[in-house]
Amino acid sequence: MTRTASAHWAGGLKDGKGTVSTASGVLNDTQYSFATRFENGAGTNPEELIAAAHAGCFTMALSLILGEAKLVAEHMETSAQVTLEQVAGGYAITAVHLTLTAKIPGADQPTFEKLAATAKEGCPVSKLLKADITLDAKLVS
């Protein structure tokens, strides 16, 4: 299975402008620039897209793991906070913090935390990133 996306850029780093698109069309010439990445400009940026990918991947992985444990989530909400920092030699994504709130009938907090930690480690996006990945998991009733 292969998925594709593309980026277009014109101009210098600070005055240039770019767009990103996905083969599915979910993103279609979506604007990004220096301002959207390092300031508060309108548009997206690679870190925001990684955050979305990680939140979605982790939540889907947890759904699989819950099913293997004979549990089904009534709902799960995950947010991912990606940290981009200046390091020696440039910039790096140094951390991702996942925050999960879930309602899972029949689950207790210790089991839930164990299954969520397994999903965090096993999610393909987690495996891709060379960052410190942390998780807060809250089970609600």
Side-chain angles (χ1 to χ4, degrees), residues 4 7-8 18 27 29 36 38 45 50 56 64-65 71 73 92 126 134-135:
T4 59
H8 171 80
L27 297 176
D29 291 331
T36 65
F38 297 105
N45 59 69
I50 291 168
L64 169 69
I65 291 166
L71 296 167
S126 291
T134 56
L135 167 67

Side-chain angles (χ1 to χ4, degrees), residues 8-140:
H8 171 80
W9 189 267
L13 175 63
K14 290 192 176 184
D15 66 342
K17 294 190 188 301
T19 59
V20 291
S21 299
T22 58
S24 68
V26 170
L27 297 176
N28 186 17
D29 291 331
T30 302
Q31 189 267 335
Y32 78 110
S33 65
F34 183 89
T36 65
R37 192 166 194 188
F38 297 105
E39 298 167 359
N40 289 319
T44 193
N45 59 69
E47 292 72 31
E48 178 181 65
L49 298 173
I50 291 168
H54 202 179
C57 182
F58 163 77
T59 307
M60 188 177 276
L62 181 53
S63 179
L64 169 69
I65 291 166
L66 288 169
E68 291 170 349
K70 307 290 188 239
L71 296 167
V72 176
E74 188 173 304
H75 68 81
M76 294 187 282
E77 297 290 333
T78 304
S79 65
Q81 183 178 18
V82 172
T83 301
L84 178 70
E85 293 183 304
Q86 192 165 11
V87 297
Y91 283 85
I93 292 172
T94 57
V96 179
H97 182 72
L98 299 169
T99 302
L100 166 67
T101 302
K103 183 173 183 181
I104 304 166
D108 58 43
Q109 187 68 31
T111 301
F112 171 65
E113 288 177 4
K114 179 183 174 198
L115 297 176
T118 300
K120 177 182 76 92
E121 296 302 319
C123 149
V125 173
S126 291
K127 291 178 182 180
L128 172 70
L129 298 173
K130 296 177 183 176
D132 179 31
I133 302 169
T134 56
L135 167 67
D136 287 331
K138 180 181 177 185
L139 185 63
V140 296

